[in-house]
Amino acid sequence: MKSAYIDYSMSVIVARALPDVRDGMKPVHRRVLFGMYELGVFSNRPYKKSARIVGEVLGKFHPHGDSSVYDTMVRMAQEWSLRYPLVDGQGNFGSVDGDSPAAMRYTEARLAKIAEEMLTDLDKETVDMQLNFDDTIYEPVVLPAMVPNLLVNGASGIAVGMATNMAPHNLSEIVDGIIAYIDNNDISISELMNYIKAPDFPTGGIIYGYEGVKSAFETGRGRIVIRGKVTVEETPSGRERIIVTELPYQVNKADMIKKTADLVNEKKLDGIADINDESDRNGMRIVYDLKRDAMASIVINKLYKMTALQSSFSVNNIALVNGRPEALNLKGLIKHYVNHRHEVVIRRTEYNLREAEKKAHILEGLIIALDHIDEVIALIRASKTPDDARKGLVERFELSEIQAKAILDMRLQKLTGLERDKLKTDYEELMKRIGELKEILANVELRMGIIKDELRRIKEKYGDERCSEIVYTAEDIRMEDVIPDEPVVITISHLGYIKRTPLTEYRVQNRGGRGSRGSTTRDEDFLEHLFVATNHNYMLFFTEQGKVYWLRVFEIPEGSKTSKGRAIQNIIQLSPDDSVKAYINVKTLKDEEYINNNYIILATKHGTIKKTSLEAYSRPRTNGINAITIHEGDELIAARLTNGNSEVLLALKSGRAIRFNENTVRAMGRTAAGVRGIKLASDKDEVIGMICVEDDSYDILVVSEKGYGKRSKLEDYRVTNRGGKGVKTINITEKTGNLIAIKNVRDEDDLMIINKSGIVIRIPVADLRVMGRATQGVRLINLKDDDEIAAVAKVEAFDELNDTEEENPENLPDENGDNSEKADTEEKDS
């Protein structure tokens, strides 16, 4: 049983169900075309009865049922089944409604013009021949296939343990793609897709979505969604009607109409009053009359969802390569076709060379005879028999038997002067042709040029416009491809309004200015958080209750510098009593090496610190996941991304700061509570910020509520053990107010300061001089009345901001006329 079944399955796979990658044909298709070729029913000859053709194929090549041969021939003649039909049928060959064709005794057929291209050069020993089932005559193992049939017409078949389903394509696109491959064998599939856009189905329709096409081209497998082509018309009475003019590939029109009518009758499909099939010889037209209150767009979507008006074509490119089934992508199919055509060109050239050399050999003999014609005539007249004459010629003139025979067969008219000149001219042309053929065999580029020229001729002769339209869906267009990866400012207000604004909207001002108007906020609202990122980054949002949410930066709504933004609850699903406190800008969450070698350090208001691998946060859900366990009365205030070797600085409202090595904090799980980072000075004290630094190239910048700040060297903060009280970082007085922010900065950075009144100022860090750790600092921003600083953010330098004063006319003193000299004088006085 086992061996017999394996034999059977191999027979089905190799000799019945799967197409050959070279000519795209199964044995039955090849035999039908070869049988018609042998019968001589070419496109320029009269049609022959189908029964005559089927009998020829059955009797000589295909020992199976006559229906298998006739059904194959019928399908090859149906313009809705094959993108480029290979048989020209006359009579009833069925319909798109699934009507069966007339019996073979009534129909007639002949080869289509394009099918003759598949058989061109078959008589020039271009392909291997094999004996038929009774070893009496030869049939081709494969056709020369000047047309890339497998790619343009596709194939489908169910074997044993495997199946194939290959889509048809547009001939013009395929030829362009093959030529591009010949010109560059290393061409990528994405580059090939510039030439070959998508499958092209004979029934037209709309290819809806590109992901399936891309997958099919790249892997050989993919699901392509096809929709019928639909338009909406208005009747004279004012009602709407839906008109379908094209159907998805392989959809039976009559069945689809019947099933749609059943859905309407069962009240599963609303809005349709009547269905009519108005198709005729001019084309397809299915009319759905709508009820008065029905909306066409809604009914169309229901038709797509519930009926065969939208169907899918599952591509599975399996073909026989050297007799073995193989899954192939687009480039693989093209490569095997080009290799086949290359072999055909070589074998055809070798055949033509052999024939030319045979002819040249005979002409050489004839020319010798003409040069010694009197002697030849005398020799022939003196011979008793033709054999004696032949032997005499061979011996006298050192000719071959073939040449001697040709001389004896020569007609007397060849002796005229004109004929003698013509012989010599023919010989010269033949020798030139032999030289060309030898050059072709010696030069692969010439052979590839011939393949390209033949393909261009095929395209010119049979190429046409696409039948199927391509419509890209939202899923196909990755937002990254549409949105440039530019730096943006993310701002979040106290009441939770978020937006992103191009960084270039914020202009650089001199220190001590009043600032320009930033976000428009309500009286009780003010900007509380600001973050700089680029559009393609990932952002992790950490809330005060210890949860984390995930967004791409481009998913944050864009707004101008003065717009309010959008409530964050509308973008991420925050619980009503929670608010976002910290953000981490992450380049990617897809790179395993990156997420396993980077860490997130979290700090809470009460001085707790926690370190966790980024990998633990790489799979957030839409409703958030726990990032840290927060104790009662505490809340998360900061989160930082590190590489595992950073130093951490925590700053307190009371003006103290601690510096310790990240290695003193062990990595914990996502739900752990963490360890003590700094000891609070009092019950009213709290942590206001955390920074992580990797080297001493950064300075430490601190800012107080009343607008004072200063830069200090990192080395001024000695490294201690975590959990200590820290050292003084700014001298806190009533004039300065409590400490509000701590940042690590460099000269090329800018500082953005936001007041509770909504005023935004941007100043270069380079304008701030470095001073001692325990000093009071200098005034950074002039505050009106009881206004205070709400938030401070560091803006890292970007190339597009390094413009000269002349190029950036906005780089002027601020709106209130304050300039740097006046500001410096005020600071000296203070």
Side-chain angles (χ1 to χ4, degrees), residues 18 51 63 143 150 184 194 222 264 310 384 391 487 529 564 610 624 647 674 686 742 764 789 820:
L18 298 185
L143 298 183
L150 187 58
N184 173 20
N194 293 328
V264 172
Q310 175 176 303
K384 288 185 179 177
K391 283 174 190 170
H529 300 290
K564 185 172 73 172
K610 179 190 164 191
E647 287 182 344
E686 60 185 51
I742 181 168
I789 291 175
S820 55

Side-chain angles (χ1 to χ4, degrees), residues 169-423:
H169 294 84
N170 182 274
L171 178 62
S172 301
E173 290 182 6
I174 290 291
V175 167
D176 290 343
I178 294 172
I179 289 171
Y181 168 80
I182 292 170
D183 289 338
N184 173 20
N185 287 173
D186 297 324
I187 192 170
S188 67
I189 288 172
S190 59
E191 287 171 322
L192 278 173
M193 285 163 69
N194 293 328
Y195 303 95
I196 303 165
K197 308 291 185 195
D200 190 23
F201 299 100
T203 51
I206 294 165
I207 293 169
Y208 184 71
Y210 205 65
E211 276 304 308
V213 173
K214 202 172 170 205
S215 171
F217 281 167
E218 287 175 350
T219 66
R221 295 176 72 93
R223 182 173 166 272
I224 297 169
V225 177
I226 319 164
R227 288 180 164 184
K229 194 168 272 188
V230 171
T231 53
V232 178
E233 288 180 5
E234 198 170 305
T235 62
S237 62
R239 288 193 192 184
E240 287 185 318
R241 45 168 49 172
I242 295 166
I243 312 294
V244 178
T245 52
E246 291 176 11
L247 283 183
Y249 186 47
Q250 293 174 332
V251 166
N252 183 312
K253 175 159 65 75
D255 281 358
M256 188 194 79
I257 292 170
K258 183 180 180 302
K259 283 171 185 168
T260 308
D262 291 343
L263 288 170
V264 172
N265 293 335
E266 290 164 13
K267 303 281 191 288
K268 289 179 183 173
L269 188 54
D270 300 329
I272 295 176
D274 196 15
I275 307 172
N276 289 303
D277 185 2
E278 298 179 3
S279 307
D280 58 19
R281 67 181 62 204
N282 297 319
M284 187 180 293
R285 184 179 161 91
I286 307 164
V287 181
Y288 298 90
D289 288 314
L290 302 187
K291 294 176 180 173
R292 279 201 186 278
D293 57 344
M295 284 184 68
S297 58
I298 293 171
V299 176
I300 288 168
N301 285 332
K302 283 184 179 174
L303 285 170
Y304 282 145
K305 189 176 179 183
M306 302 169 77
T307 73
L309 195 60
Q310 175 176 303
S311 63
S312 64
F313 186 91
S314 295
V315 174
N316 185 18
N317 291 345
I318 293 181
L320 295 174
V321 180
N322 299 324
R324 296 168 67 93
E326 201 174 298
L328 298 158
N329 61 19
L330 177 65
K331 190 174 174 182
L333 291 169
I334 290 173
K335 183 183 93 172
H336 288 297
Y337 173 74
V338 170
N339 290 346
H340 172 58
R341 281 305 297 167
H342 187 221
E343 190 184 334
V344 167
V345 169
I346 289 171
R347 292 178 67 160
R348 180 182 68 198
T349 309
E350 286 172 343
Y351 175 84
N352 287 338
L353 181 62
R354 282 197 304 274
E355 293 299 308
E357 285 175 339
K358 281 181 194 170
K359 195 173 176 185
H361 182 63
I362 290 167
L363 286 179
E364 282 168 3
L366 294 178
I367 288 166
I368 288 169
L370 289 174
D371 288 345
H372 305 86
I373 191 64
D374 294 336
E375 198 176 340
V376 168
I377 290 168
L379 192 148
I380 293 169
R381 286 178 70 182
S383 302
K384 288 185 179 177
T385 62
D387 269 355
D388 291 344
R390 185 164 41 78
K391 283 174 190 170
L393 287 171
V394 168
E395 287 168 11
R396 170 66 188 85
F397 298 106
E398 296 179 355
L399 301 173
S400 68
E401 293 281 340
I402 294 166
Q403 288 172 323
K405 188 175 182 301
I407 291 165
L408 290 173
D409 292 341
M410 187 171 64
R411 296 166 68 185
L412 286 173
Q413 71 177 38
K414 294 281 184 195
L415 301 180
T416 62
L418 277 175
E419 283 290 324
R420 285 162 69 186
D421 292 343
K422 187 173 178 295
L423 264 183

Side-chain angles (χ1 to χ4, degrees), residues 717-738:
Y717 299 81
R718 69 178 187 275
V719 179
T720 61
N721 290 327
R722 71 171 170 79
K725 288 184 177 179
V727 296
K728 186 181 277 191
T729 181
I730 190 169
N731 195 22
I732 295 293
T733 64
E734 197 174 320
K735 189 165 77 168
T736 62
N738 289 324

Side-chain angles (χ1 to χ4, degrees), residues 120-128 144 343-345 347-348:
T120 302
D121 300 327
L122 194 56
D123 55 347
K124 292 185 178 176
E125 298 174 15
T126 49
V127 292
D128 292 338
E343 190 184 334
V344 167
V345 169
R347 292 178 67 160
R348 180 182 68 198

